[in-house]
Amino acid sequence: MHEMRIRLEPRWTKRLLELPESGMGYQRVDIRLVDGRELKDVVVFNAEEIEVPDEFARAQIKDVRLHAA
Amino acid sequence: MREPSGAAVQKKAGPATDGPKEKTKADEVFKRFSAYPNDRRVASDGSLLAGTYATTEEDAKNVKTGTDAVARYALPNLAPASNVFTVRPNKDTDIQRGIVEPAFGQPGGGVEVVFTNGTQPKTVTGPTKIPDA
């Protein structure tokens, strides 16, 4: 499965910067998409970049929350 | 601490979020390794945002390259964390300490410190650059 790195919209970066990190320089998050699909335990780098499978590269994000360990 | 049998109890290593709540000492220094020179957790006023991770100055002495940092702090981003920020928080800043667990195919083992409420303005300088590998 190929993954690609995409940049989050500024509103999600702003949200993530209000939340704690999961480790130095990253957060583990769950992402809900507009089409109802969900990506669980995705890593966000620097509150602005995520790696997702190719098929999600153009997906619209509805919500981002910290992943509950 | 000792068990009822008298045997010494080894304190179990674990992540910072499981560590006791502490306060920084006067003149204590911390380091933060990042793949990004424009680290978003460093605010424009030179503070760290709440919930930001770093390591102790002592532990950072084990890290000579950005690739060392990826391994020691079990970072998921394989890009070398070659940008080093120095953090000098005020005395009595809230922190928790722990040991980085293996993750993302990396061994971990470094000291991690989380600034639960961030740090004060003008407490972060840098970054300085260390070699990538």
Side-chain angles (χ1 to χ4, degrees):
Chain A
M1 180 173 58
H2 280 275
E3 293 209 329
M4 64 182 304
R5 195 172 287 204
I6 62 172
R7 185 172 284 265
L8 293 172
E9 292 174 43
R11 60 177 168 149
W12 301 124
T13 293
K14 185 171 182 293
R15 159 90 64 89
L16 287 166
L17 290 176
E18 292 168 352
L19 299 172
E21 290 188 302
S22 308
M24 196 151 46
Y26 70 93
Q27 290 161 302
R28 302 173 85 139
V29 302
D30 297 330
I31 295 176
R32 197 143 54 94
L33 303 174
V34 170
D35 65 12
R37 291 183 294 175
E38 198 165 17
L39 286 163
K40 289 273 192 189
D41 199 8
V42 176
V43 176
V44 183
F45 306 118
N46 204 30
E48 63 185 7
E49 291 186 328
I50 56 172
E51 278 183 353
V52 294
D54 279 352
E55 64 182 289
F56 293 96
R58 293 177 189 281
Q60 295 260 304
I61 294 172
K62 184 172 184 185
D63 196 20
V64 178
R65 291 170 186 269
L66 281 187
H67 178 71
Chain B
M1 188 188 301
R2 291 189 172 268
E3 288 181 331
S5 65
V9 175
Q10 193 81 0
K11 190 178 177 187
K12 193 183 171 201
T17 47
D18 290 349
K21 293 184 169 73
E22 299 176 41
K23 305 277 189 188
T24 56
K25 302 173 187 69
D27 302 323
E28 206 167 359
V29 179
F30 301 86
K31 299 284 181 176
R32 174 172 167 88
F33 294 87
S34 177
Y36 299 86
N38 64 331
D39 190 320
R40 296 264 191 186
R41 304 295 302 195
V42 180
S44 56
D45 64 358
S47 65
L48 284 184
L49 300 180
T52 297
Y53 279 69
T55 189
T56 60
E57 185 178 41
E58 192 61 30
D59 196 80
K61 291 175 182 170
N62 296 295
V63 175
K64 305 297 183 203
T65 68
T67 305
D68 288 349
V70 171
R72 189 166 183 84
Y73 305 113
L75 305 182
N77 190 353
L78 295 180
S82 308
N83 300 285
V84 187
F85 294 86
T86 299
V87 187
R88 292 184 174 87
N90 292 355
K91 181 176 180 286
D92 293 333
T93 299
D94 294 326
I95 57 169
Q96 289 175 277
R97 298 175 201 254
I99 303 296
V100 179
E101 296 181 318
F104 307 110
Q106 305 295 340
V111 173
E112 63 181 8
V113 175
V114 60
F115 290 89
T116 45
N117 296 312
T119 66
Q120 306 75 23
K122 299 182 182 173
T123 54
V124 184
T125 56
T128 58
K129 191 88 166 65
I130 58 174
D132 286 346

